[in-house]
Amino acid sequence: MNIITQEDLLIVLQHSSNSLIKLKIEVLDYNEKIIGILECGIQSGSMSINGQSNVRRTAHFIVQPTIKEKIKLTENSLLWLNKDIRMSIGLYNPRNREYKYYPLGYYVYTDTSGSYDATTESLTINCADFMKKLDGTKNGQLGALIIRFPAYQKNEETGEIIEYNTIRNAVITTLENLAGIANHRIDDIGELPFDQEFSAGCSILSILTTFRDLYPNYEMFFDMDTNTFVCQTVPSCYEDDIYMDNSFLQRVLISESAAVDMTTVRNICEVWGKTIEADFHSEACSYSNNVYSSDIPGYEGGYSNGEVIALKIPSANQAGAGLNINGFGAITISNEANEEPIKENELKPDNIYAFQIKKKRINGQDAVKAYVLGQWQAHAVNVLTNGTKSGKFVTGSDGEEYELYSKEYFRKFYNCERVDFTIIENSPFTVEELGEIPDIKVGGEFENITSDDLAADRAKWENQKNCRLTDNITITTALLPFLDVNKKVSYKRSDSDLEHQYVISSISHDFVGFTTAITMYRFYPLYELQTI
């Protein structure tokens, strides 16, 4: 539901127990065609929605179906291995004396199937969304084969790289060829930074999450209404309207619990990525007319696709700088994350930077760019700050004074050229409020990060999780079956005189107690990012 109506509020407020609740179960065949419908009274029932989990929706019900036939465990039953279900919860509206049904989504049985107790005439169902078809629980495990996804396609005769493969296409190929899922919506993520290989025994979900996690801040789930597989950036909610306001929540509120997990709060994230191995290296480099020029012995025949060149930079760059190797012609130096030309002063003098040459076919012609990967090891720092000047100075090992918590301070004391500031003026977790609490990411999955740009993106995302998603509150309300995660609400805590905005991160329904527990994190509309 995108809009909550006055009818919805009145229905919720008029209920105090599960006496006037029904569960509608639509039984689906392999093609998601309805082959039977069960309407049930609820003896016991709960459901959870977690926006941070791969399996977003899980549910457990003990119900009494209004019809008893075709629910025993036989292959012709409505409860069998090859059946899926779509569920809706119905709340009685006394004004029109009808039930209004709210969709709960599409599910598969997580047990062998449902179970029916003839003595009590009750049906027990444990189920989860369709991700369970991909993680090996209900299919999704691959047999004796090795699956490879190359980072690029080559010309078989010349060995020249024809095009770079994208993560979006790799996800679509996995869904359609391995999972048989044609109903999907996949956002552009980026290019595969390197070859991917998966062995026998892995699950389809593990392949998909590997692709998803190559770049930060993406999510995968099955849409509740249409069962479409979605891969998209995690919603920022910056431009979203308020889904529920404080007046609504106060009318259905039962209790609240505010807590901050201080063990997870960090306000600095430093990411160390892949050590860059250059194919060619030169410290003889000049800078003129906004072009860096160098003659490198052994680099012949024009720009080669995929080659990495390391140069010692003699001067800081102007915006839109170019690169000219061995007189092959000036090519634009671009950032890998956004394909845009580099900004002024991104390259610092007397530092060695690595550049990767890439050719792409655009409008039938070769377009050649040099992507700046960073220094010898991909490295970036993200700092949560309130954006004010400290007025305090500290002395570095070089004898120079640096203003505390300035950009120059973090560049010097973290020995990192790429420093981004996340500015949230009223956050209680900034370095000005708590001092420096760093989170260092190195090794393991972080070795897959191939450039400073990608390291900066990951540092920003990790810092957001550490210092924003921990600022949360859980409230218990009357049953609100129409809620979903990633919705923005306004709420005034009991210990505050002001309303604040929050984003829902998880939901738990108790259909017998007629309650909903909502966990939501603080939304900061004055969010800003500044990059050195």
Side-chain angles (χ1 to χ4, degrees):
M1 292 178 58
N2 293 320
I3 299 175
I4 301 173
T5 66
Q6 187 67 17
E7 178 191 16
D8 299 316
L9 176 59
L10 292 175
I11 291 175
V12 168
L13 292 176
Q14 289 170 356
H15 281 263
S16 59
S17 69
N18 70 323
S19 59
L20 295 175
I21 301 179
K22 286 185 179 181
L23 181 69
K24 181 166 69 175
I25 303 172
E26 297 170 301
V27 183
L28 312 173
D29 65 11
Y30 183 79
N31 296 313
E32 296 187 7
K33 179 181 177 181
I34 299 175
I35 58 176
I37 297 177
L38 299 174
E39 289 193 354
C40 314
I42 300 176
Q43 295 180 341
S44 174
S46 61
M47 175 185 172
S48 296
I49 310 171
N50 188 336
Q52 280 76 55
S53 174
N54 288 329
V55 181
R56 179 164 289 194
R57 300 173 188 277
T58 59
H60 166 77
F61 284 98
I62 300 177
V63 296
Q64 286 185 311
T66 55
I67 62 171
K68 308 300 186 293
E69 63 272 14
K70 293 189 176 181
I71 56 175
K72 297 181 180 180
L73 292 182
T74 68
E75 59 182 298
N76 295 321
S77 166
L78 293 179
L79 307 177
W80 196 243
L81 301 176
N82 60 345
K83 307 295 194 309
D84 301 318
I85 57 177
R86 179 171 63 194
M87 296 192 296
S88 303
I89 197 77
L91 303 186
Y92 185 70
N93 184 346
R95 290 195 172 188
N96 59 16
R97 298 181 181 181
E98 294 180 351
Y99 280 86
K100 182 171 183 179
Y101 283 90
Y102 299 92
L104 301 182
Y106 291 72
Y107 294 86
V108 298
Y109 301 117
T110 52
D111 295 337
T112 304
S113 56
S115 61
Y116 179 67
D117 187 325
T119 302
T120 62
E121 296 185 336
S122 62
L123 174 67
T124 300
I125 297 175
N126 294 309
C127 54
D129 65 38
F130 272 44
M131 280 296 186
K132 283 294 183 179
K133 287 194 172 186
L134 305 179
D135 70 355
T137 301
K138 299 280 286 189
N139 208 344
Q141 191 171 25
L142 300 178
L145 76 164
I146 296 177
I147 302 173
R148 295 183 177 88
F149 292 86
Y152 46 77
Q153 302 292 332
K154 284 185 176 182
N155 184 310
E156 294 182 1
E157 295 182 358
T158 65
E160 184 76 8
I161 298 175
I162 301 173
E163 65 175 338
Y164 287 83
N165 294 325
T166 65
I167 295 174
R168 180 178 186 272
N169 288 341
V171 169
I172 291 174
T173 297
T174 303
L175 288 172
E176 294 183 350
N177 295 350
L178 299 181
I181 295 174
N183 186 18
H184 51 68
R185 177 172 60 81
I186 313 300
D187 283 1
D188 290 328
I189 300 178
E191 295 174 347
L192 281 171
F194 45 84
D195 294 349
Q196 297 289 330
E197 183 175 296
F198 304 93
S199 302
C202 71
S203 68
I204 294 173
L205 182 57
S206 68
I207 297 176
L208 293 170
T209 54
T210 296
F211 291 140
R212 179 197 65 193
D213 295 342
L214 288 172
Y215 290 78
N217 201 23
Y218 283 86
E219 63 178 2
M220 289 177 170
F221 60 94
F222 279 92
D223 173 77
M224 180 182 68
D225 296 319
T226 63
N227 212 32
T228 300
F229 183 95
V230 177
C231 177
Q232 64 180 20
T233 55
V234 176
S236 64
C237 298
Y238 292 133
E239 298 179 356
D240 290 5
D241 295 330
I242 297 295
Y243 182 65
M244 287 191 305
D245 61 20
N246 179 63
S247 62
F248 184 110
L249 286 173
Q250 294 297 335
R251 294 188 67 180
V252 297
L253 182 67
I254 297 174
S255 64
E256 75 170 41
S257 174
V260 175
D261 186 355
M262 298 304 297
T263 63
T264 62
V265 171
R266 303 287 186 272
N267 52 26
I268 298 172
C269 184
E270 182 177 14
V271 171
W272 291 91
K274 184 180 180 64
T275 301
I276 300 171
E277 298 179 1
D279 299 296
F280 297 93
H281 168 262
S282 177
E283 297 193 8
C285 181
S286 62
Y287 182 62
S288 178
N289 297 323
N290 204 23
V291 174
Y292 294 99
S293 300
S294 180
D295 292 324
I296 302 178
Y299 193 73
E300 302 173 348
Y303 294 112
S304 298
N305 208 346
E307 298 284 8
V308 177
I309 299 170
L311 297 176
K312 185 174 183 179
I313 298 301
S315 306
N317 68 288
Q318 299 175 25
L323 186 69
N324 189 349
I325 304 299
N326 291 359
F328 296 148
I331 57 177
T332 302
I333 301 175
S334 299
N335 287 310
E336 185 177 28
N338 55 22
E339 296 280 343
E340 295 180 359
I342 59 173
K343 298 178 181 179
E344 183 178 4
N345 292 327
E346 285 199 30
L347 305 181
K348 310 298 182 183
D350 300 321
N351 287 315
I352 297 176
Y353 291 90
F355 305 88
Q356 185 172 42
I357 307 299
K358 288 188 179 182
K359 292 182 181 180
K360 297 183 178 180
R361 295 290 291 179
I362 301 178
N363 297 326
Q365 296 182 342
D366 284 338
V368 185
K369 291 184 179 181
Y371 291 86
V372 58
L373 302 181
Q375 300 188 56
W376 288 111
Q377 186 173 12
H379 187 202
V381 170
N382 185 279
V383 181
L384 177 67
T385 172
N386 61 23
T388 62
K389 292 183 177 294
S390 69
K392 302 177 181 179
F393 291 84
V394 293
T395 303
S397 58
D398 55 2
E400 297 288 332
E401 287 195 333
Y402 299 85
E403 185 173 10
L404 186 67
Y405 303 147
S406 66
K407 296 178 180 180
E408 293 77 15
Y409 167 85
F410 286 102
R411 286 182 58 199
K412 172 63 180 178
F413 287 91
Y414 284 77
N415 191 28
C416 181
E417 289 295 328
R418 180 62 186 270
V419 177
D420 292 353
F421 275 12
T422 297
I423 300 177
I424 302 178
E425 294 181 359
N426 54 350
S427 170
F429 305 133
T430 64
V431 291
E432 291 82 4
E433 293 290 334
L434 299 181
E436 298 171 49
I437 311 178
D439 181 17
I440 313 301
K441 304 293 189 182
V442 62
E445 63 183 291
F446 297 96
E447 292 181 353
N448 296 330
I449 297 173
T450 56
S451 69
D452 288 356
D453 274 348
L454 298 180
D457 285 346
R458 185 61 179 267
K460 173 186 173 184
W461 172 239
E462 294 291 338
N463 213 24
Q464 175 178 327
K465 292 192 293 183
N466 288 339
C467 60
R468 293 179 66 211
L469 302 188
T470 51
D471 188 2
N472 58 43
I473 184 172
T474 298
I475 61 174
T476 300
T477 67
L479 182 66
L480 304 177
F482 39 76
L483 289 189
D484 203 355
V485 294
N486 295 328
K487 298 287 189 182
K488 187 162 64 176
V489 303
S490 64
Y491 179 72
K492 186 177 78 68
R493 289 171 41 164
S494 59
D495 59 355
S496 174
D497 295 328
L498 300 175
E499 289 184 24
H500 294 295
Q501 295 179 355
Y502 293 84
V503 177
I504 298 174
S505 59
S506 66
I507 300 162
S508 180
H509 297 306
D510 179 352
F511 295 106
V512 173
F514 204 77
T515 60
T516 295
I518 309 166
T519 299
M520 47 195 185
Y521 62 87
R522 177 83 176 272
F523 172 80
Y524 291 94
L526 299 180
Y527 170 87
E528 183 182 354
L529 178 70
Q530 289 189 359
T531 305
I532 289 183

